[in-house]
Amino acid sequence: MTNRQGLPIWYELITADADAAERFYGAVLGWRFEAMSTAPEMDYRIASAGSAGVAGLMQQPDGAEMPLRWLVYFGVDDVDRSVRDARQAGASVHVPPTDIPEVGRFAFLADPQGALFYLMRGASEQDSQAFQCGENLPQGHAVWNELSAPDPDAAIAFYRALLGLRREGGMPMGELGDYSFIHAGPECIGAVMGEAPNGQPGWQVYFSVDDIDEAVNRLGQAGGRTIQGPDEIPGNCFALVAEDPRGARFGLVGPRTR
């Protein structure tokens, strides 16, 4: 995956029950799953929307202490150099640069305020299709990446220096400060905001759905719950924050067709 530096290129859920997670996200987002053949020692499953791989489900290894949540992979040109730069800027490295045969080289970090994320240079020359931006996006793709941080300005400065992300535009949120849009090149990939009372610090991914109300119904029937929304957003769409049955948070974005 050779996407421009700073673009999200993959998403991963670490879960205590991969079978249950597969059933849940298959029902809510229509994903299909297959085992990752290049790592038979792990229970890692690739989720596809249509013909495109969009995310991975990773079973938490027995005895391992890992965050049970959704995580974002950011593409970089050089993982080793980026990890050195991140460490110098105050990030901590949980997994140093590591090769996955036929997949790529990655590292797992926490930014100076504790938000977890991955860096990766994929082995394939094809661009990732996991993240999409624009209108009329197919269901099941990631469409927005939202960072909640105690100090949003410091967070933006860190990711600008590391990944080349830039702040451009935003919306005032009263006592919560600004909801600042962040761009990688010409693409707006998400936003950075302060910590909300009912929020969860760190990165949160939003996935597209064809109809927000139908998605809410599927969410409830599959055992998940809505935390906030649906709220109307620009572009004649609605967004909500949800939790899966294990408590992992994610967002959904889509139109209201009825």
Side-chain angles (χ1 to χ4, degrees):
M1 294 174 280
T2 58
N3 304 63
R4 182 186 307 108
Q5 172 118 350
L7 274 177
I9 61 172
W10 195 244
Y11 298 89
E12 182 176 280
L13 173 65
I14 302 174
T15 177
D17 189 339
D19 290 333
E22 181 174 320
R23 291 191 297 270
F24 174 80
Y25 289 98
V28 175
L29 292 171
W31 284 344
R32 295 176 295 101
F33 295 86
E34 62 179 343
M36 181 175 171
S37 59
T38 56
E41 72 284 357
M42 297 172 56
D43 186 349
Y44 197 98
R45 310 175 191 195
I46 304 298
S48 295
S51 60
V54 293
L57 298 183
M58 179 179 175
Q59 174 72 41
Q60 182 186 36
D62 291 339
E65 293 186 6
M66 302 179 72
L68 302 178
R69 64 177 300 159
W70 278 100
L71 299 165
V72 184
Y73 284 71
F74 291 99
V76 293
D77 299 325
D78 187 317
V79 174
D80 297 74
R81 182 180 65 216
S82 295
V83 168
R84 289 194 296 269
D85 292 344
R87 197 194 300 269
Q88 291 175 359
S92 55
V93 180
H94 294 288
V95 178
T98 303
D99 288 319
I100 304 176
E102 302 179 36
V103 175
R105 190 166 177 81
F106 81 99
F108 183 37
L109 302 91
D111 71 19
Q113 299 184 65
L116 299 167
F117 66 100
Y118 285 100
L119 298 175
M120 188 172 191
R121 167 70 183 187
S124 171
E125 292 303 312
Q126 295 183 340
D127 285 346
S128 166
Q129 300 299 310
F131 172 74
Q132 299 283 321
C133 58
E135 298 181 357
N136 301 317
L137 296 171
Q139 179 164 288
H141 288 260
V143 294
W144 197 250
N145 306 273
E146 185 179 86
L147 175 61
S148 176
D151 187 339
D153 290 337
I156 292 171
F158 171 80
Y159 289 100
R160 181 177 64 241
L162 179 65
L163 299 173
L165 303 184
R166 73 181 191 282
R167 172 166 40 192
E168 185 175 312
M171 300 184 300
M173 297 178 64
E175 295 180 356
L176 296 178
D178 290 337
Y179 190 76
S180 299
F181 301 141
I182 50 174
H183 293 66
E187 289 93 356
C188 183
I189 66 169
V192 178
M193 60 183 289
E195 292 183 307
N198 194 36
Q200 185 180 79
W203 286 99
Q204 180 169 274
V205 56
Y206 288 73
F207 298 103
S208 61
V209 292
D210 294 335
D211 182 284
I212 196 68
D213 296 309
E214 292 180 3
V216 169
N217 290 335
R218 294 195 302 270
L219 176 72
Q221 291 170 2
R225 70 186 186 107
T226 300
I227 301 297
Q228 178 181 330
D231 299 315
E232 190 168 7
I233 60 175
N236 297 317
C237 280
F238 292 79
L240 64 84
V241 177
E243 277 187 353
D244 70 18
R246 292 277 177 170
R249 290 198 179 185
F250 62 100
L252 298 175
V253 177
R256 178 166 278 161
T257 61
R258 290 179 291 176

